[in-house]
Amino acid sequence: MKSSRTVTLYFVLIVICSSEATWSRPAEPIVHPLILQEHELAGEELLRPKRAVAVGGPVAEEYTVDVEISFENVSFLESIRAHLNSLRFPVQGNGTDILSMAMTTVCTPTGNDLLCFCEKGYQWPEERCLSSLTCQEHDSALPGRYCNCLKGLPPQGPFCQLPETYITLKIKVRLNIGFQEDLENTSSALYRSYKTDLERAFRAGYRTLPGFRSVTVTQFTKGSVVVDYIVEVASAPLPGSIHKANEQVIQNLNQTYKMDYNSFQGTPSNETKFTVTPEFIFEGDNVTLECESEFVSSNTSWFYGEKRSDIQNSDKFSIHTSIINNISLVTRLTIFNFTQHDAGLYGCNVTLDIFEYGTVRKLDVTPIRILAKEERKVVCDNNPISLNCCSENIANWSRIEWKQEGKINIEGQTSKDEVHSTGRGRGDTSVNTGTPETDLESSCSTYTLKADGTQCPSGSSGTTVIYTCEFVSVYGAKGSKNIAVTFTSVANLTITPDPISVSEGQSFSITCLSDVSSFDEVYWNTSAGIKIHPRFYTMRRYRDGAESVLTVKTSTREWNGTYHCIFRYKNSYSIATKDVTVHPLPLESDIMMDPLEASGLCTSSHQFKCCIEENDGEEYIVTFHVDSSSFPAEREVIGKQACYTYSLPGKLPSRCPKDIDVFCHFTNAANSSVRSPSMKLTLVPGKNITCQDPIIGIGEPGKVIQKLCQFAGVSRSPGQTIGGTVTYKCVGSQWKEETRACISAPINGLLQLAKALIKSPSQDQKLPKYLRDLSVSTGKEEQDIRSSPGSLGAIISILDLLSTVPTQVNSEMMRDILATINVILDKSTLNSWEKLLQQQSNQSSQFLQSVERFSKALELGDSTPPFLFHPNVQMKSMVIKRGHAQMYQQKFVFTDSDLWGDVAIDECQLGSLQPDSSIVTVAFPTLKAILAQDGQRKTPSNSLVMTTTVSHNIVKPFRISMTFKNNHRSGGKPQCVFWNFSLANNTGGWDSSGCTVEDDGRDNRDRVFCKCNHLTSFSILMSPDSPDPGSLLKILLDIISYIGLGFSIVSLAACLVVEAMVWKSVTKNRTSYMRHICIVNIALCLLIADIWFIVAGAIHDGHYPLNETACVAATFFIHFFYLSVFFWMLTLGLMLFYRLIFILHDASKSTQKAIAFSLGYGCPLIISSITVGVTQPQEVYMRKNACWLNWEDTRALLAFAIPALIIVVVNVSITVVVITKILRPSVGDKPGKQEKSSLFQISKSIGVLTPLLGLTWGFGLATVIQGSNAVFHIIFTLLNAFQGLFILLFGCLWDQKVQEALLHKFSLSRWSSQHSKSTSLGSSTPVFSMSSPISRRFNNLFGKTGTYNVSTPETTSSSVENSSSAYSLLN
């Protein structure tokens, strides 16, 4: 059958023959081709031997013959293939058997070329692929040594051949026969027989597989008989071919073997090639997994995880399977956007007949890490700024993109490399980013910005733009990093436009405005480049700008010059300048006047003088003002001073006596002026003048005047200016010098320089030299300091001024400070200190505070000595190093003073401090004698004063331990104290808050061990009046207090319970109702006050960290509730007074309740709130040693004592009125009986009202007085502690109605019947009937055994009811 299309087609057959012949030489396979034409096929055999062989001995040989066939009909090729597949081998011939026949090569003309392809399972040899022209565009073979297609058929061969490598198929099959042991012996006849028969059957069946090579039985195992064998083929079998081959095996095997067709089982083997692309997976990659198998099958699958979950096509996964050249299968799984969640096991399966092939691979994913500085600040000054972005991962990056998002558009610098860059704007701002410079090999990219002022308008300064660098891999992974770039405009500064011209002593300010708010630093400089200290200027930021204001409150000549306002952002500076002119003008404090005050005769002239320091010949217009008139002054230069004088002429005697105020007025060239303090002149007639002196003046006996030492005739070197004053008093006929507080010229000069230094713009630079000069001058003037309180006070003032300069103190500066302190604390100066403190009591506290400020400012470095020693002061210090916590422990010994002490801070406390904090302790052996004595009659002991400071803030409580040598072993009880600068109106005083005396386990006879929970200056005091904690009096008071409070609390609780039980029975009328309202509130308030009293004692004794706050609360509530007790007692007394006196007036119950509660709680709340609000901010609300109102500092205790005493007085007065009313005789009563009744009422009133209305608190007056007798304390403690018991007995149980209600409540029949009999008597029944056992006992207290008529029968009239109700208050 001819095809419609005719072509010349070639194909080659490979024929394997077996022949028995006699060879005259060794046999060689014949491999030469035999060429047949299409017309020859009809009548000739397909296989013909090419050459004859010589006959020799019979030898069985296998040889291969290649047969080339050409024809034009394409369909004929398929006929030959079908014919070959239908043959059953071996084909027996005449002496030659054909073992197999297969088509290997097919050539097809295409255009002018003849393309020759290999059939499945065959390949062109390597040498042919290398030497011949391959048809690569048609070659679908996989890369390797072989090819599948050549252009043209090689004329001499070789043609397509079986590959050198084979595929091994491992198969098992079962024989349903019994297993014999010989099958395990490979040399047994049974083993060889089975093996031969089975291999022959296997070979016959598997020869049909393409590229069949061989088959071999490997072993026999039990289970009937299981045969293991391997089949070698050149190429993978086609689907279904294994089953067909197995059928052939069954047919070719002797049936006696009973082979089970269904038992054929392929053994899995790793015949699958598994590849992962990319090899290193990053998050976001599109990952491709590829399984390549030589077995072509349509049954392929992918699975994931340990549970082998099937993977199907989806948005996440894509599976594609293809067959290449019918000889291999490739299946690909693509995983899109691979993440950490996708990591795990992946595998593929290829199933072919009885074989299952596949492999598993675990996939890990690596996150992309991009490194970049996340925040940058850029100044819009047209300078290039580079943004750098690098990947920490080594990957095959395809590109690096930069994106931008922000309100302003700042373009980057364009580079030659082309890397994708995009931008995205926000709001109304468009975005256009430049191109970065990128090096993909180094995985880095640089984006260069170049911003100018036009891109950063003032309103957008400080805007942050987010630049994002994004790395994109070849496989789709993306990693990005945001860089926040803040653009800041170069500041445009506007400074105060008006010219600044001031005079000395006046203030001025310079305002510097910036149109940007983003900057790193703002500071001010002088024209000489000296930075002005930050204390002189402020800085404020606004949304779209900033402001810095330089403020000088008191200008001096040093402020004359040009000042620069500087805004710095990184290395960019914006500067504005301003000139300041300061005109010379003396300060008011620098004007020296004479006289300060004087007396003069009316008829005499009087000279007034004002002097200032002469400075560069500066002249002023000076006038003297007398009353409302002014007069020009005359100028003269005396040494270094310019003095202006005026002589006041004498007045008429008729205008005497008279007081005149005179002052001098200085005006400079800028028309600024200053006036001196007034000089006072008293004109007298001269009758009583007894003292006269040309320098001091005249005076009457007892007259006291002050003169400046400069004009008082005090000896001094010519031209020098000394300071201070001298006080004179007219005694008899002579002026006597009372006090002299003169300051030597060198020290006075230093004082003036110190006052100028703290006003100087460069004070911190000048401070070191000044301290050096101070220590030198102090040493030279030591003799003057010993004798002159004025020079001593001047040095203290200098130290106080200098300690306020906010700068760091180095070791040299501290050495100079301690050298100065050593001089002024010498024992020889104690006399000067005593005189100085008589004039200015706060000088010692001021001095100690300045030392603490210097200590805190001390900057300890490697060059700083750990200690500095002087005879009168020692300093030791330590720096807290990071990671080197050690105990701070220093000891100070002063052999000359026979004193020592040590200080210790444990590692736990030091661990809470900031690293590089410095701890400094300064010890003084003589300062204790100088500091003011404590106000609580505590005498100073001869002990050290140790000041410990920390350079940084500490967390309170901060525990410190100290040991002091005790030189007063029998002088009283030692007490640990610290110097509290806020006491005594900020003049300072010793305080024991937070400090306790402890027992350190050693012999304490010569030492005192102290512990405090804060830092400052510490010492010890001796308190002889303070009772010893183990004394009998202290123990007795504690026992009385706690036992009494226990009875009181139980009694008050019982009182409240009783009142609740009988309330309805005893409150049937208005008077009884109000009376019991008062009793209940008195009991309740006293109960709460007693509870708070116990809480306060526990707080004070417990040393809790929050004891100060808790102590304030306890003090407030004790104050409030004790006051409420008194005011409810006052309410009860006023109600008694009202019901007894105002008989005809009757107020409603609601009105009485409103008044009672307002008075009982409102007044105490107002008093206690005002007390705590006024005193607590100054920390003088409580006592130092108890949670109760302060007495020593603020007299806050009066806020309790005064109201209590007033109420006591009022209640006593009410008691007198009530008794007087009771003593009025009733009509018809007999005198004897009336007298007895009156005595009873007086006794009863005193016995009830005294404890009930708080008269016993009057004993508390004596306890306020220092040194009061212990008897008053005992009586007051007894009465107060048992007051709750008194209220229960006399305020509650002694009430007849309460007794009746209780009797009725508990149904006591005997008492109830007696009570019925007594009540039937009407008005003649006594308040306390003798028939009642309880009443009998209380009446016996007053020695009464009979009954008395106290009240009249109640009627319905208002007056009678009121009168009877008033008397019932006593019941």
Side-chain angles (χ1 to χ4, degrees):
M1 176 179 176
K2 297 274 185 176
S3 173
S4 60
R5 179 168 177 257
T6 302
V7 294
T8 301
L9 187 67
Y10 299 88
F11 68 91
V12 177
L13 296 178
I14 180 170
V15 182
I16 302 176
C17 305
S18 176
S19 174
E20 293 184 1
T22 301
W23 298 86
S24 61
R25 54 180 178 173
E28 294 180 359
I30 301 173
V31 295
H32 298 289
L34 175 65
I35 301 175
L36 300 177
Q37 299 298 325
E38 181 182 358
H39 61 274
E40 298 174 339
L41 294 175
E44 298 188 13
E45 296 178 13
L46 292 177
L47 295 177
R48 297 179 181 179
K50 186 170 187 269
R51 78 171 53 162
V53 294
V55 176
V59 178
E61 294 288 344
E62 284 189 4
Y63 58 94
T64 302
V65 179
D66 291 335
V67 180
E68 178 183 337
I69 303 174
S70 62
F71 53 90
E72 295 181 354
N73 193 346
V74 177
S75 62
F76 193 66
L77 177 64
E78 296 301 324
S79 299
I80 294 177
R81 282 178 174 158
H83 178 68
L84 292 177
N85 291 332
S86 63
L87 293 177
R88 290 185 174 274
F89 295 99
V91 178
Q92 295 181 351
N94 186 13
T96 301
D97 294 337
I98 301 175
L99 301 179
S100 66
M101 184 182 301
M103 187 179 298
T104 64
T105 310
V106 176
C107 298
T108 303
T110 303
N112 296 326
D113 296 326
L114 182 66
L115 304 183
C116 297
F117 297 91
C118 295
E119 288 289 281
K120 178 176 175 59
Y122 295 88
Q123 296 174 339
W124 288 105
E126 178 184 6
E127 65 273 11
R128 182 57 59 195
C129 290
L130 296 176
S131 60
S132 302
L133 186 64
T134 61
C135 42
Q136 296 180 359
E137 64 273 17
H138 299 281
D139 198 343
S140 60
L142 298 176
R145 297 182 302 165
Y146 300 95
C147 52
N148 286 336
C149 178
L150 291 180
K151 290 185 178 181
L153 187 68
Q156 299 300 325
F159 304 119
C160 294
Q161 300 177 352
L162 291 172
E164 296 180 359
T165 58
Y166 294 89
I167 298 174
T168 301
L169 305 178
K170 297 180 180 180
I171 307 175
K172 291 183 178 181
V173 66
R174 187 177 67 253
L175 306 179
N176 293 325
I177 58 178
F179 186 83
Q180 301 180 45
E181 297 297 331
D182 286 346
L183 292 177
E184 294 181 347
N185 185 2
T186 57
S187 60
S188 65
L190 183 63
Y191 181 92
R192 291 197 302 271
S193 174
Y194 271 51
K195 178 178 173 63
T196 302
D197 293 344
L198 290 171
E199 286 183 349
R200 181 181 294 110
F202 289 148
R203 188 179 298 112
Y206 292 116
R207 284 183 184 276
T208 59
L209 299 179
F212 172 76
R213 177 76 177 185
S214 65
V215 59
T216 303
V217 175
T218 59
Q219 68 176 355
F220 298 97
T221 56
K222 295 178 180 180
S224 302
V225 176
V226 177
V227 182
D228 290 351
Y229 61 98
I230 57 175
V231 179
E232 290 184 349
V233 292
S235 61
L238 297 174
S241 60
I242 297 294
H243 289 304
K244 292 180 180 180
N246 292 338
E247 292 174 356
Q248 292 293 326
V249 170
I250 296 294
Q251 294 176 6
N252 286 278
L253 184 64
N254 192 322
Q255 296 300 319
T256 60
Y257 283 98
K258 297 181 181 181
M259 182 175 287
D260 187 354
Y261 175 78
N262 296 321
S263 67
F264 282 97
Q265 179 181 354
T267 302
S269 61
N270 242 354
E271 301 292 341
T272 304
K273 182 180 179 182
F274 196 99
T275 58
V276 180
T277 306
E279 184 177 358
F280 297 100
I281 303 173
F282 295 101
E283 280 191 291
D285 273 337
N286 295 328
V287 180
T288 300
L289 311 182
E290 184 176 278
C291 270
E292 179 185 345
S293 175
E294 295 179 345
F295 295 90
V296 178
S297 172
S298 60
N299 189 3
T300 61
S301 64
W302 288 89
F303 60 86
Y304 168 73
E306 298 288 348
K307 297 182 178 180
R308 304 175 71 91
S309 302
D310 286 339
I311 297 176
Q312 304 294 333
N313 280 311
S314 63
D315 294 338
K316 184 68 177 179
F317 302 102
S318 174
I319 300 174
H320 176 72
T321 302
S322 61
I323 299 174
I324 301 175
N325 204 25
N326 288 326
I327 62 173
S328 62
L329 177 142
V330 176
T331 177
R332 294 183 179 89
L333 168 65
T334 301
I335 307 172
F336 300 102
N337 191 21
F338 203 92
T339 63
Q340 291 284 356
H341 180 71
D342 300 321
L345 293 176
Y346 286 84
C348 65
N349 276 334
V350 178
T351 303
L352 178 66
D353 294 345
I354 63 174
F355 295 97
E356 181 176 334
Y357 297 96
T359 188
V360 176
R361 182 76 58 86
K362 183 179 181 181
L363 303 186
D364 295 319
V365 62
T366 303
I368 298 178
R369 293 184 177 89
I370 308 300
L371 305 179
K373 188 176 181 180
E374 297 183 2
E375 294 184 356
R376 295 290 302 273
K377 293 183 179 180
V378 178
V379 180
C380 299
D381 55 2
N382 209 32
N383 289 322
I385 299 294
S386 296
L387 307 181
N388 297 312
C389 198
C390 292
S391 169
E392 192 178 279
N393 311 99
I394 299 176
N396 185 14
W397 302 113
S398 64
R399 64 186 186 277
I400 302 176
E401 299 179 351
W402 285 83
K403 301 178 182 180
Q404 170 191 350
E405 182 176 1
K407 293 184 178 180
I408 59 176
N409 177 29
I410 308 296
E411 296 183 0
Q413 182 180 0
T414 305
S415 66
K416 295 180 181 179
D417 299 332
E418 290 189 5
V419 177
H420 185 58
S421 178
T422 63
R424 179 161 51 92
R426 185 171 58 189
D428 298 331
T429 304
S430 62
V431 178
N432 180 21
T433 64
T435 304
E437 298 179 359
T438 302
D439 185 358
L440 293 177
E441 293 183 359
S442 63
S443 300
C444 287
S445 180
T446 300
Y447 194 75
T448 303
L449 301 173
K450 197 172 183 182
D452 55 31
T454 60
Q455 295 171 306
C456 302
S458 59
S460 63
S461 181
T463 299
T464 299
V465 178
I466 305 299
Y467 288 86
T468 303
C469 65
E470 185 176 66
F471 286 67
V472 183
S473 74
V474 174
Y475 302 99
K478 295 181 180 180
S480 62
K481 191 75 170 183
N482 292 337
I483 304 176
V485 180
T486 302
F487 292 93
T488 305
S489 303
V490 177
N492 296 315
L493 302 184
T494 305
I495 205 163
T496 302
D498 299 330
I500 297 178
S501 177
V502 295
S503 297
E504 283 189 273
Q506 295 179 341
S507 63
F508 70 89
S509 63
I510 307 174
T511 301
C512 184
L513 298 174
S514 168
D515 60 351
V516 300
S517 59
S518 300
F519 48 83
D520 292 332
E521 184 183 14
V522 176
Y523 59 93
W524 292 75
N525 265 5
T526 65
S527 56
I530 301 174
K531 270 191 176 183
I532 296 176
H533 200 279
R535 71 186 300 185
F536 291 107
Y537 58 86
T538 60
M539 193 282 297
R540 296 176 62 187
R541 295 177 189 261
Y542 303 102
R543 186 175 61 84
D544 54 355
E547 173 188 74
S548 182
V549 180
L550 174 67
T551 303
V552 179
K553 295 181 179 179
T554 306
S555 58
T556 62
R557 297 188 189 187
E558 285 192 65
W559 288 97
N560 190 70
T562 302
Y563 293 90
H564 305 283
C565 170
I566 303 173
F567 278 66
R568 182 186 68 81
Y569 183 78
K570 293 188 177 179
N571 295 323
S572 177
Y573 296 85
S574 300
I575 304 175
T577 61
K578 189 66 180 177
D579 292 329
V580 176
T581 302
V582 180
H583 300 278
L585 186 68
L587 300 178
E588 180 182 341
S589 59
D590 294 337
I591 302 175
M592 304 181 69
M593 305 167 298
D594 186 56
L596 297 177
E597 55 181 331
S599 296
L601 297 174
C602 297
T603 57
S604 301
S605 62
H606 306 280
Q607 188 179 52
F608 295 91
K609 182 190 297 184
C610 289
C611 298
I612 59 173
E613 293 293 325
E614 176 72 4
N615 291 313
D616 302 327
E618 182 72 28
E619 294 187 4
Y620 305 97
I621 299 174
V622 181
T623 56
F624 280 84
H625 292 253
V626 182
D627 292 337
S628 58
S629 303
S630 61
F631 305 93
E634 295 181 0
R635 183 177 186 269
E636 62 176 331
V637 177
I638 304 174
K640 295 182 179 181
Q641 285 190 324
C643 292
Y644 299 85
T645 60
Y646 167 70
S647 182
L648 178 67
K651 299 289 183 180
L652 295 176
S654 59
R655 303 184 62 182
C656 285
K658 183 178 181 182
D659 293 330
I660 299 176
D661 288 339
V662 180
F663 64 88
C664 52
H665 192 272
F666 288 77
T667 305
N668 64 3
N671 203 30
S672 298
S673 61
V674 63
R675 54 163 288 178
S676 70
S678 296
M679 296 171 278
K680 298 185 181 298
L681 175 64
T682 301
L683 297 177
V684 295
K687 296 179 181 179
N688 298 324
I689 298 300
T690 59
C691 297
Q692 294 186 0
D693 186 270
I695 297 176
I696 303 174
I698 65 173
E700 301 173 349
K703 178 69 174 180
V704 178
I705 64 171
Q706 270 191 342
K707 286 187 74 71
L708 294 179
C709 295
Q710 181 74 10
F711 307 117
V714 178
S715 60
R716 57 186 173 88
S717 300
Q720 287 187 334
T721 303
I722 61 177
T725 60
V726 181
T727 303
Y728 297 96
K729 183 176 182 179
C730 180
V731 179
S733 60
Q734 291 184 344
W735 288 104
K736 298 293 184 180
E737 184 179 306
E738 287 233 317
T739 60
R740 175 182 290 201
C742 295
I743 307 172
S744 66
I747 296 178
N748 184 60
L750 288 173
L751 178 61
Q752 302 308 316
L753 288 176
K755 293 178 179 178
L757 185 141
I758 63 172
K759 303 169 187 173
S760 171
S762 55
Q763 52 186 250
D764 47 346
Q765 289 90 346
K766 292 182 177 181
L767 185 59
K769 182 180 183 303
Y770 182 90
L771 289 173
R772 192 176 308 112
D773 295 340
L774 176 64
S775 65
V776 172
S777 297
T778 305
K780 292 179 179 180
E781 299 296 317
E782 184 174 358
Q783 187 62 39
D784 182 70
I785 294 172
R786 294 174 182 174
S787 60
S788 174
S791 295
L792 176 62
I795 294 177
I796 295 172
S797 298
I798 290 172
L799 292 175
D800 182 59
L801 290 172
L802 300 182
S803 66
T804 61
V805 176
T807 186
Q808 293 290 336
V809 176
N810 58 36
S811 59
E812 291 300 321
M813 296 164 65
M814 198 66 185
R815 196 186 305 275
D816 293 329
I817 293 169
L818 294 183
T820 302
I821 293 173
N822 182 62
V823 173
I824 65 175
L825 290 183
D826 191 76
K827 291 181 180 180
S828 60
T829 64
L830 294 181
N831 187 44
S832 292
W833 274 102
E834 184 179 357
K835 294 179 181 179
L836 177 64
L837 294 177
Q838 290 175 357
Q839 302 169 18
Q840 303 177 56
S841 60
N842 67 330
Q843 287 291 82
S844 59
S845 182
Q846 181 178 313
F847 162 74
L848 186 57
Q849 196 165 25
S850 63
V851 173
E852 288 194 14
R853 284 197 290 261
F854 280 126
S855 299
K856 286 184 179 180
L858 178 60
E859 184 179 13
L860 296 175
D862 296 335
S863 61
T864 304
F867 51 84
L868 293 171
F869 288 145
H870 291 279
N872 301 308
V873 62
Q874 294 180 12
M875 185 202 80
K876 293 186 179 182
S877 57
M878 186 180 79
V879 178
I880 305 300
K881 296 296 185 182
R882 187 185 300 273
H884 294 83
Q886 56 180 336
M887 185 175 182
Y888 177 75
Q889 190 165 12
Q890 307 291 354
K891 186 167 186 177
F892 301 91
V893 179
F894 294 89
T895 55
D896 294 342
S897 304
D898 189 26
L899 290 174
W900 60 264
D902 60 49
V903 58
I905 303 175
D906 59 30
E907 297 91 334
C908 180
Q909 295 296 313
L910 299 182
S912 64
L913 298 179
Q914 300 180 24
D916 298 328
S917 297
S918 58
I919 306 177
V920 180
T921 300
V922 184
F924 314 92
T926 58
L927 186 58
K928 186 62 178 293
I930 296 171
L931 290 170
Q933 295 186 5
D934 183 73
Q936 294 181 340
R937 299 186 299 106
K938 298 186 177 80
T939 59
S941 66
N942 183 22
S943 64
L944 287 181
V945 173
M946 294 188 293
T947 298
T948 301
T949 58
V950 175
S951 58
H952 294 85
N953 293 332
I954 61 175
V955 178
K956 293 183 179 180
F958 190 88
R959 295 184 297 275
I960 181 174
S961 303
M962 292 158 291
T963 305
F964 297 90
K965 182 180 180 183
N966 184 11
N967 288 335
H968 294 260
R969 300 182 184 180
S970 60
K973 176 193 172 186
Q975 185 177 10
C976 299
V977 291
F978 73 96
W979 189 258
N980 190 338
F981 295 100
S982 62
L983 293 181
N985 295 323
N986 296 319
T987 60
W990 291 114
D991 191 350
S992 61
S993 298
C995 294
T996 57
V997 178
E998 302 284 343
D999 184 3
D1000 61 350
R1002 295 180 290 180
D1003 186 3
N1004 294 328
R1005 288 177 295 178
D1006 64 339
R1007 71 182 68 221
V1008 178
F1009 182 66
C1010 298
K1011 282 189 177 181
C1012 297
N1013 58 13
H1014 53 81
L1015 296 181
T1016 184
S1017 300
F1018 300 95
S1019 188
I1020 58 173
L1021 291 177
M1022 308 309 295
S1023 304
D1025 289 335
S1026 177
D1028 186 76
S1031 66
L1032 182 60
L1033 177 60
K1034 180 73 165 58
I1035 296 173
L1036 180 61
L1037 291 176
D1038 287 343
I1039 292 175
I1040 294 174
S1041 296
Y1042 286 106
I1043 293 178
L1045 283 174
F1047 275 110
S1048 182
I1049 291 174
V1050 173
S1051 300
L1052 292 170
C1055 180
L1056 293 176
V1057 172
V1058 169
E1059 287 289 339
M1061 293 172 60
V1062 303
W1063 183 260
K1064 293 184 178 180
S1065 301
V1066 298
T1067 58
K1068 294 182 178 180
N1069 59 65
R1070 192 176 304 161
T1071 302
S1072 297
Y1073 178 81
M1074 290 306 301
R1075 174 183 180 275
H1076 285 278
I1077 283 286
C1078 294
I1079 292 297
V1080 168
N1081 280 280
I1082 289 172
L1084 180 62
C1085 292
L1086 188 58
L1087 175 63
I1088 298 175
D1090 287 345
I1091 293 173
W1092 271 107
F1093 185 85
I1094 295 175
V1095 171
I1099 292 171
H1100 183 261
D1101 296 336
H1103 307 291
Y1104 300 112
L1106 298 178
N1107 61 347
E1108 184 175 354
T1109 304
C1111 201
V1112 171
T1115 302
F1116 174 80
F1117 286 115
I1118 292 173
H1119 185 198
F1120 171 72
F1121 284 109
Y1122 272 138
L1123 276 181
S1124 297
V1125 171
F1126 278 101
F1127 275 93
W1128 277 106
M1129 289 179 178
L1130 176 63
T1131 304
L1132 185 60
L1134 292 177
M1135 188 177 64
L1136 172 62
F1137 182 79
Y1138 167 75
R1139 303 299 289 175
L1140 192 62
I1141 304 302
F1142 300 97
I1143 297 175
L1144 299 178
H1145 185 273
D1146 188 19
S1148 65
K1149 183 186 296 185
S1150 58
T1151 302
Q1152 293 184 38
K1153 279 177 58 177
I1155 295 173
F1157 277 92
S1158 300
L1159 190 62
Y1161 290 117
C1163 293
L1165 181 62
I1166 293 172
I1167 295 172
S1168 56
S1169 298
I1170 292 175
T1171 304
V1172 70
V1174 172
T1175 57
Q1176 180 57 25
Q1178 288 77 33
E1179 297 184 354
V1180 286
Y1181 176 56
M1182 304 175 299
R1183 295 188 180 187
K1184 308 298 183 299
N1185 56 353
C1187 297
W1188 185 228
L1189 298 173
N1190 188 293
W1191 173 255
E1192 295 83 7
D1193 302 317
T1194 58
R1195 301 293 191 267
L1197 183 59
L1198 294 177
F1200 174 76
I1202 291 177
L1205 293 178
I1206 292 175
I1207 292 173
V1208 168
V1209 172
V1210 171
N1211 281 344
V1212 169
S1213 302
I1214 292 175
T1215 303
V1216 172
V1217 173
V1218 170
I1219 292 174
T1220 304
K1221 185 74 173 176
I1222 292 175
L1223 288 176
R1224 292 177 180 175
S1226 301
V1227 178
D1229 288 341
K1230 295 181 180 180
K1233 188 179 296 186
Q1234 183 181 7
E1235 182 181 355
K1236 292 180 181 180
S1237 177
S1238 299
L1239 291 174
F1240 170 74
Q1241 292 296 343
I1242 293 172
S1243 301
K1244 186 176 180 181
S1245 298
I1246 294 174
V1248 174
L1249 290 178
T1250 298
L1252 189 60
L1253 301 180
L1255 296 181
T1256 54
W1257 285 82
F1259 287 101
L1261 267 177
T1263 63
V1264 179
I1265 305 172
Q1266 284 287 350
S1268 58
N1269 195 292
V1271 175
F1272 292 102
H1273 290 269
I1274 295 174
I1275 295 175
F1276 179 65
T1277 304
L1278 278 170
L1279 293 177
N1280 273 328
F1282 289 95
Q1283 193 168 11
L1285 182 61
F1286 296 156
I1287 291 176
L1288 173 64
L1289 295 176
F1290 300 109
C1292 183
L1293 297 180
W1294 210 349
D1295 188 346
Q1296 179 189 4
K1297 293 183 179 180
V1298 173
Q1299 296 175 31
E1300 293 173 355
L1302 288 175
L1303 292 173
H1304 180 72
K1305 191 79 174 177
F1306 292 101
S1307 301
L1308 298 179
S1309 58
R1310 183 174 60 88
W1311 288 358
S1312 179
S1313 61
Q1314 292 177 354
H1315 172 70
S1316 300
K1317 294 177 182 179
S1318 63
T1319 53
S1320 65
L1321 298 176
S1323 60
S1324 63
T1325 304
V1327 176
F1328 296 105
S1329 175
M1330 291 298 296
S1331 62
S1332 170
I1334 298 177
S1335 300
R1336 186 183 306 115
R1337 288 184 177 90
F1338 280 106
N1339 285 327
N1340 288 337
L1341 291 175
F1342 300 97
K1344 302 299 178 182
T1345 57
T1347 59
Y1348 300 94
N1349 185 9
V1350 177
S1351 59
T1352 59
E1354 291 188 7
T1355 64
T1356 56
S1357 66
S1358 174
S1359 61
V1360 175
E1361 178 188 353
N1362 288 340
S1363 179
S1364 300
S1365 299
Y1367 288 124
S1368 69
L1369 285 171
L1370 299 175
N1371 298 329

